[in-house]
Protein backbone atom coordinates (compact mmCIF):
# COMPACT_ATOMS: atom_id res chain seq x y z
CA UNK A 1 0.00 0.00 0.00
CA UNK A 2 1.23 3.49 -0.85
CA UNK A 3 2.51 5.52 2.07
CA UNK A 4 3.34 9.22 2.35
CA UNK A 5 4.97 10.64 5.48
CA UNK A 6 5.56 14.35 5.92
CA UNK A 7 7.84 15.98 8.44
CA UNK A 8 7.87 18.00 10.51
CA UNK A 9 4.16 18.13 11.42
CA UNK A 10 4.52 21.81 12.25
CA UNK A 11 7.22 24.37 11.63
CA UNK A 12 7.57 27.90 12.93
CA UNK A 13 10.01 30.21 11.15
CA UNK A 14 11.05 33.80 11.48
CA UNK A 15 10.50 35.86 8.36
CA UNK A 16 13.56 35.37 6.15
CA UNK A 17 14.62 32.11 7.84
CA UNK A 18 14.97 29.47 5.11
CA UNK A 19 14.07 25.83 5.74
CA UNK A 20 12.92 22.59 4.10
CA UNK A 21 9.89 20.35 4.40
CA UNK A 22 10.24 16.63 3.84
CA UNK A 23 7.95 14.13 2.12
CA UNK A 24 8.97 10.47 2.27
CA UNK A 25 7.00 8.04 0.13
CA UNK A 26 6.62 4.35 -0.60
CA UNK A 27 5.02 3.30 -3.87
CA UNK A 28 5.39 0.37 -6.23
CA UNK A 29 6.22 2.83 -8.99
CA UNK A 30 5.93 6.60 -9.09
CA UNK A 31 3.81 8.25 -11.78
CA UNK A 32 3.93 11.64 -10.15
CA UNK A 33 4.53 13.48 -6.88
CA UNK A 34 2.49 16.59 -6.15
CA UNK A 35 2.87 19.49 -3.73
CA UNK A 36 -0.15 21.51 -2.67
CA UNK A 37 -0.68 24.45 -0.36
CA UNK A 38 -3.81 24.61 1.78
CA UNK A 39 -5.03 27.70 3.62
CA UNK A 40 -7.51 27.32 6.50
CA UNK A 41 -11.05 26.69 5.29
CA UNK A 42 -10.01 26.31 1.65
CA UNK A 43 -9.27 23.49 -0.74
CA UNK A 44 -5.69 22.53 -1.59
CA UNK A 45 -4.01 24.72 -4.21
CA UNK A 46 -1.60 23.11 -6.66
CA UNK A 47 2.08 24.06 -6.49
CA UNK A 48 4.25 21.49 -8.33
CA UNK A 49 4.32 18.11 -10.03
CA UNK A 50 7.54 16.09 -10.14
CA UNK A 51 7.77 12.96 -12.27
CA UNK A 52 11.29 11.54 -11.96
CA UNK A 53 14.23 11.48 -9.57
CA UNK A 54 16.52 14.44 -10.01
CA UNK A 55 13.77 16.73 -11.20
CA UNK A 56 13.46 20.19 -9.64
CA UNK A 57 10.85 22.91 -9.98
CA UNK A 58 10.75 26.46 -8.64
CA UNK A 59 8.10 29.07 -8.05
CA UNK A 60 8.94 32.33 -6.30
CA UNK A 61 10.39 31.39 -2.89
CA UNK A 62 9.58 27.68 -3.26
CA UNK A 63 11.68 24.94 -4.80
CA UNK A 64 10.68 21.27 -4.95
CA UNK A 65 13.13 18.42 -5.47
CA UNK A 66 12.66 14.68 -5.89
CA UNK A 67 14.70 11.55 -5.18
CA UNK A 68 13.63 7.93 -5.42
CA UNK A 69 12.37 7.90 -1.86
CA UNK A 70 11.60 11.47 -0.87
CA UNK A 71 10.85 14.99 -1.93
CA UNK A 72 11.81 18.27 -0.34
CA UNK A 73 10.06 21.60 -0.49
CA UNK A 74 12.65 24.28 0.14
CA UNK A 75 11.40 27.67 1.27
CA UNK A 76 13.87 30.52 0.82
CA UNK A 77 13.47 33.72 2.83
CA UNK A 78 9.82 33.02 3.69
CA UNK A 79 7.27 35.75 4.27
CA UNK A 80 4.22 35.68 6.55
CA UNK A 81 1.98 35.06 3.54
CA UNK A 82 3.73 31.71 3.04
CA UNK A 83 2.04 30.50 6.22
CA UNK A 84 -0.16 27.53 5.29
CA UNK A 85 -0.29 23.76 5.41
CA UNK A 86 1.82 22.14 2.71
CA UNK A 87 0.59 18.77 1.43
CA UNK A 88 2.48 16.15 -0.53
CA UNK A 89 0.73 13.49 -2.63
CA UNK A 90 1.80 10.56 -4.79
CA UNK A 91 0.24 8.86 -7.78
CA UNK A 92 1.28 5.21 -8.09
CA UNK A 93 2.10 3.80 -11.50
CA UNK A 94 0.01 0.73 -10.77
CA UNK A 95 -3.23 0.21 -12.61
CA UNK A 96 -5.21 2.36 -10.21
CA UNK A 97 -5.80 6.10 -10.26
CA UNK A 98 -5.59 6.55 -6.50
CA UNK A 99 -3.68 9.60 -5.25
CA UNK A 100 -2.38 9.29 -1.69
CA UNK A 101 -1.84 12.42 0.39
CA UNK A 102 0.33 12.93 3.44
CA UNK A 103 -0.97 14.63 6.56
CA UNK A 104 0.83 17.87 5.76
CA UNK A 105 3.27 20.27 7.38
CA UNK A 106 1.73 23.32 9.00
CA UNK A 107 4.06 26.25 8.41
CA UNK A 108 3.87 29.47 10.39
CA UNK A 109 6.09 32.39 9.39
CA UNK A 110 6.46 35.05 12.06
CA UNK A 111 7.08 38.68 11.01
CA UNK B 1 -16.98 27.79 -14.92
CA UNK B 2 -14.00 29.53 -13.41
CA UNK B 3 -13.32 26.83 -10.88
CA UNK B 4 -14.62 23.63 -9.36
CA UNK B 5 -17.99 24.23 -7.77
CA UNK B 6 -19.45 22.05 -5.04
CA UNK B 7 -22.91 22.16 -3.53
CA UNK B 8 -24.19 22.41 -0.98
CA UNK B 9 -21.38 24.07 0.98
CA UNK B 10 -22.87 22.79 4.23
CA UNK B 11 -25.23 19.89 4.83
CA UNK B 12 -26.70 18.78 8.13
CA UNK B 13 -28.64 15.55 7.98
CA UNK B 14 -30.16 13.11 10.40
CA UNK B 15 -28.66 9.71 10.88
CA UNK B 16 -30.19 7.22 8.49
CA UNK B 17 -31.01 9.75 5.76
CA UNK B 18 -29.49 9.68 2.28
CA UNK B 19 -27.46 12.63 1.03
CA UNK B 20 -26.25 13.65 -2.43
CA UNK B 21 -23.26 15.91 -2.87
CA UNK B 22 -22.71 17.63 -6.19
CA UNK B 23 -19.53 18.56 -8.01
CA UNK B 24 -19.34 20.74 -11.12
CA UNK B 25 -15.78 20.47 -12.47
CA UNK B 26 -13.85 22.90 -14.60
CA UNK B 27 -15.19 22.75 -18.14
CA UNK B 28 -13.26 20.33 -20.32
CA UNK B 29 -11.51 18.54 -17.48
CA UNK B 30 -11.42 14.83 -18.15
CA UNK B 31 -10.45 13.63 -14.68
CA UNK B 32 -12.55 14.00 -11.56
CA UNK B 33 -11.69 12.91 -8.03
CA UNK B 34 -13.66 12.71 -4.82
CA UNK B 35 -11.85 12.99 -1.48
CA UNK B 36 -12.79 13.11 2.17
CA UNK B 37 -10.76 15.28 4.52
CA UNK B 38 -10.79 15.17 8.29
CA UNK B 39 -9.63 18.16 10.29
CA UNK B 40 -5.84 18.31 10.42
CA UNK B 41 -5.42 15.51 7.89
CA UNK B 42 -4.66 15.31 4.21
CA UNK B 43 -7.40 14.45 1.72
CA UNK B 44 -8.33 10.75 1.63
CA UNK B 45 -9.01 9.35 -1.84
CA UNK B 46 -12.50 8.01 -2.45
CA UNK B 47 -13.00 7.55 -6.20
CA UNK B 48 -11.83 8.63 -9.66
CA UNK B 49 -13.60 9.24 -12.97
CA UNK B 50 -12.15 9.46 -16.44
CA UNK B 51 -14.93 11.14 -18.41
CA UNK B 52 -18.02 9.18 -17.35
CA UNK B 53 -16.12 6.00 -16.49
CA UNK B 54 -15.50 5.30 -12.83
CA UNK B 55 -12.02 3.85 -13.13
CA UNK B 56 -11.13 3.58 -9.47
CA UNK B 57 -13.46 3.28 -6.51
CA UNK B 58 -11.00 1.61 -4.20
CA UNK B 59 -11.29 4.36 -1.59
CA UNK B 60 -15.04 4.19 -1.05
CA UNK B 61 -15.40 3.03 2.58
CA UNK B 62 -18.36 0.69 2.09
CA UNK B 63 -21.35 0.04 -0.13
CA UNK B 64 -23.32 2.94 1.33
CA UNK B 65 -21.10 5.23 -0.73
CA UNK B 66 -21.53 5.55 -4.48
CA UNK B 67 -20.68 8.07 -7.15
CA UNK B 68 -21.61 8.77 -10.73
CA UNK B 69 -20.69 11.12 -13.55
CA UNK B 70 -23.21 10.15 -16.22
CA UNK B 71 -22.31 12.68 -18.93
CA UNK B 72 -18.66 13.11 -18.13
CA UNK B 73 -19.15 16.46 -16.45
CA UNK B 74 -21.13 16.96 -13.22
CA UNK B 75 -20.63 14.27 -10.61
CA UNK B 76 -22.70 13.23 -7.61
CA UNK B 77 -21.43 11.44 -4.52
CA UNK B 78 -24.28 9.70 -2.69
CA UNK B 79 -24.16 8.41 0.85
CA UNK B 80 -27.04 6.17 1.86
CA UNK B 81 -28.24 5.60 5.42
CA UNK B 82 -25.80 8.16 6.80
CA UNK B 83 -23.99 7.50 10.06
CA UNK B 84 -22.27 9.93 12.42
CA UNK B 85 -18.87 8.66 11.34
CA UNK B 86 -19.63 9.97 7.81
CA UNK B 87 -19.35 13.54 9.13
CA UNK B 88 -16.44 15.18 7.32
CA UNK B 89 -15.44 17.63 4.60
CA UNK B 90 -16.00 16.10 1.18
CA UNK B 91 -13.88 17.57 -1.59
CA UNK B 92 -14.04 17.25 -5.33
CA UNK B 93 -11.14 17.96 -7.67
CA UNK B 94 -10.78 17.99 -11.43
CA UNK B 95 -7.79 17.94 -13.73
CA UNK B 96 -7.24 18.18 -17.50
CA UNK B 97 -6.03 14.57 -17.55
CA UNK B 98 -4.87 12.08 -14.93
CA UNK B 99 -1.47 12.60 -13.33
CA UNK B 100 -1.59 16.36 -13.75
CA UNK B 101 -2.39 19.12 -11.32
CA UNK B 102 -5.80 18.89 -9.72
CA UNK B 103 -8.02 21.87 -8.94
CA UNK B 104 -10.05 21.50 -5.78
CA UNK B 105 -13.46 22.84 -4.93
CA UNK B 106 -14.36 24.53 -1.66
CA UNK B 107 -15.83 21.30 -0.35
CA UNK B 108 -19.09 20.24 1.28
CA UNK B 109 -19.07 20.07 5.07
CA UNK B 110 -21.35 17.15 6.00
CA UNK B 111 -22.61 16.83 9.54
CA UNK B 112 -24.67 13.80 10.52
CA UNK B 113 -26.66 14.29 13.73
Amino acid sequence: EDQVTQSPEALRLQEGESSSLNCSYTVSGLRGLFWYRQDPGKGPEFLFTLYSAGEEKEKERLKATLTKKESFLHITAPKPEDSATYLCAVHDSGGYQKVTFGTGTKLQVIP
Amino acid sequence: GAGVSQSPRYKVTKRGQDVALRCDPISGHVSLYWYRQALGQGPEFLTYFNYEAQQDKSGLPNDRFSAERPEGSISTLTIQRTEQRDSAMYRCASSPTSNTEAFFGQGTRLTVV
Side-chain angles (χ1 to χ4, degrees):
Chain A
E1 185 173 319
D2 299 342
Q3 288 191 333
V4 179
T5 303
Q6 292 190 245
S7 62
E9 289 186 8
L11 182 62
R12 196 175 186 200
L13 298 174
Q14 289 293 132
E15 184 173 1
E17 179 187 2
S18 301
S19 188
S20 297
L21 313 182
N22 177 264
C23 171
S24 298
Y25 63 91
T26 303
V27 294
S28 56
L30 184 69
R31 283 187 64 182
L33 184 141
F34 306 90
W35 282 98
Y36 289 86
R37 168 194 171 126
Q38 187 169 26
D39 293 299
K42 296 192 175 182
E45 176 187 344
F46 172 77
L47 293 173
F48 304 107
T49 308
L50 301 167
Y51 294 104
S52 58
E55 190 175 359
E56 300 182 352
K57 288 195 176 171
E58 287 188 68
K59 180 180 178 180
E60 296 180 356
R61 296 176 293 282
L62 300 177
K63 178 180 178 180
T65 62
L66 180 65
T67 72
K68 288 186 177 180
K69 293 190 174 182
E70 58 190 350
S71 177
F72 291 93
L73 185 65
H74 307 278
I75 303 177
T76 302
K79 298 182 178 181
E81 54 262 41
D82 294 323
S83 297
T85 295
Y86 290 85
L87 296 163
C88 171
V90 296
H91 188 183
D92 199 318
S93 62
Y96 298 101
Q97 298 292 342
K98 180 178 180 178
V99 176
T100 302
F101 277 81
T103 54
T105 293
K106 186 173 183 178
L107 174 65
Q108 184 182 18
V109 182
I110 311 299
Chain B
V4 177
S5 178
Q6 291 187 246
S7 59
R9 288 289 308 278
Y10 303 92
K11 176 70 176 178
V12 180
T13 190
K14 291 185 177 180
R15 190 173 50 192
Q17 296 293 307
D18 298 350
V19 295
L21 312 181
R22 174 187 165 118
C23 173
D24 194 349
I26 293 173
S27 178
H29 278 194
V30 168
S31 299
L32 187 145
Y33 300 83
W34 281 99
Y35 292 91
R36 180 168 65 177
Q37 187 172 21
L39 199 62
Q41 300 294 312
E44 174 194 7
F45 172 84
L46 296 177
T47 189
Y48 167 82
F49 288 87
N50 181 46
Y51 293 105
E52 72 281 0
Q54 188 175 22
Q55 292 189 343
D56 190 338
K57 54 182 181 179
S58 62
L60 295 177
N62 51 61
D63 60 8
R64 295 186 297 105
F65 287 73
S66 63
E68 63 175 9
R69 192 187 185 196
E71 297 179 358
S73 180
I74 292 170
S75 176
T76 303
L77 176 70
T78 301
I79 308 172
Q80 295 179 313
R81 306 181 301 281
T82 52
E83 301 177 5
Q84 284 190 323
R85 59 177 171 157
D86 299 332
S87 296
M89 176 70 80
Y90 288 83
R91 296 197 185 276
C92 172
S94 70
S95 61
T97 61
S98 68
N99 209 37
T100 57
E101 66 270 28
F103 297 82
F104 281 79
Q106 290 279 64
T108 293
R109 167 71 67 187
L110 175 66
T111 302
V112 182
V113 298

